[in-house]
Amino acid sequence: TILIVDDNPRNLSVAVDSLSEIGATVIIARSGQSGLKRARYAEPDLILLDILMPEMDGFEVCQQLKQDTKTSAIPVIFMTALSDTVNKVKGLRAGGIDYVTKPFNVEELLARVTNHLNTQNIIQAFKARNQALQKLVPDDSWVQPSALPQSNLQRAMRYIQMHLGENITLEAIASELGMSQYYFCRWFKQSVGTSPYQYSNSKFQDT
């Protein structure tokens, strides 16, 4: 979904027709205030934002979008007839990621929009995978040394000492205690103050 914010009906018509060619769902807003409301409601994948609009210009709209947690991650491409570097830099500092010049070159518009949508899709896929992994892996607050009996720690140390000099793996020690490798490493370090690998090395040097 793409939100276009522009007060010029002709610009809106050209942009909508062009984006429809790539199968995009398009929402339009004809003022900055309307654009903010629609962005918060629809949470589009991308926003095309005109700079020169009455009442609230594109720079201010973009700044407000970036200050709102619901819309801060939505990429913004500025649409502008302003070709000077000062305004381009101002747009990037306001939170925009790119710009297209008006009057539109349709091929350029579609290329920039497609590239940023592809990037956004990759980012969203990465976030989804990361969230799925976080559900499988406990965070630091869950790993509490006191949650397990002291005998487990003694078993771990004894196992390490019994196999000093051998090609022992963390997976083997964790399996001996019935833990995942990740949980064992976190638990051992919080309990002993050093990693299993460092502990094993120190004991080996003492022999």
Side-chain angles (χ1 to χ4, degrees), residues 169-204:
T169 64
L170 292 177
E171 184 179 2
I173 307 173
S175 177
E176 175 72 14
L177 299 175
M179 302 180 187
S180 71
Q181 183 176 326
Y182 178 92
Y183 182 86
F184 168 72
C185 290
R186 291 297 183 94
W187 166 75
F188 190 93
K189 188 169 184 178
Q190 288 192 19
S191 299
V192 181
T194 186
S195 71
Y197 177 78
Q198 292 170 327
Y199 177 81
S200 177
N201 276 350
S202 67
K203 290 299 178 183
F204 182 73

Side-chain angles (χ1 to χ4, degrees), residues 3-7 29-40 47-68 71-72 74 76-78 90-91 94-96:
L3 170 62
I4 306 174
V5 186
D6 195 325
D7 63 321
R30 296 187 178 182
S31 69
Q33 286 289 359
S34 175
L36 288 172
K37 291 178 181 178
R38 297 199 174 201
R40 290 165 184 151
I47 296 175
L48 288 171
L49 178 60
D50 187 27
I51 290 180
L52 298 178
M53 294 184 292
E55 299 180 12
M56 182 185 295
D57 65 28
F59 299 131
E60 186 177 350
V61 173
C62 189
Q63 287 172 344
Q64 291 197 31
L65 287 169
K66 296 306 172 182
Q67 291 169 2
D68 190 325
T71 57
S72 60
I74 303 172
V76 175
I77 298 178
F78 281 107
K90 187 176 179 180

Side-chain angles (χ1 to χ4, degrees), residues 102-119:
K102 297 188 296 184
F104 296 125
N105 177 300
V106 174
E107 289 186 1
E108 178 190 5
L109 173 65
L110 294 181
R112 290 184 185 274
V113 166
T114 301
N115 285 342
H116 289 297
L117 284 176
N118 288 339
T119 301

Side-chain angles (χ1 to χ4, degrees), residues 75-205:
V76 175
I77 298 178
F78 281 107
M79 303 183 295
T80 178
L82 303 174
S83 58
D84 60 287
T85 303
V86 173
N87 279 291
K88 291 177 181 177
V89 172
K90 187 176 179 180
L92 295 173
R93 286 179 175 170
I97 59 168
D98 203 352
Y99 66 90
V100 291
T101 54
K102 297 188 296 184
F104 296 125
N105 177 300
V106 174
E107 289 186 1
E108 178 190 5
L109 173 65
L110 294 181
R112 290 184 185 274
V113 166
T114 301
N115 285 342
H116 289 297
L117 284 176
N118 288 339
T119 301
Q120 188 71 354
N121 288 338
I122 292 171
I123 292 172
Q124 292 302 327
F126 177 81
K127 287 181 178 179
R129 285 196 299 270
N130 194 40
Q131 289 172 353
L133 286 173
Q134 287 177 349
K135 291 179 181 179
L136 296 175
V137 179
D139 60 26
D140 292 343
S141 63
W142 184 70
V143 182
Q144 299 295 335
S146 59
L148 291 173
Q150 189 69 13
S151 60
N152 279 32
L153 182 58
Q154 294 169 352
R155 283 177 60 198
M157 291 178 169
R158 186 164 57 250
Y159 188 89
I160 291 172
Q161 290 172 353
M162 287 174 59
H163 295 82
L164 287 176
E166 299 178 14
N167 189 22
I168 186 173
T169 64
L170 292 177
E171 184 179 2
I173 307 173
S175 177
E176 175 72 14
L177 299 175
M179 302 180 187
S180 71
Q181 183 176 326
Y182 178 92
Y183 182 86
F184 168 72
C185 290
R186 291 297 183 94
W187 166 75
F188 190 93
K189 188 169 184 178
Q190 288 192 19
S191 299
V192 181
T194 186
S195 71
Y197 177 78
Q198 292 170 327
Y199 177 81
S200 177
N201 276 350
S202 67
K203 290 299 178 183
F204 182 73
Q205 291 169 4

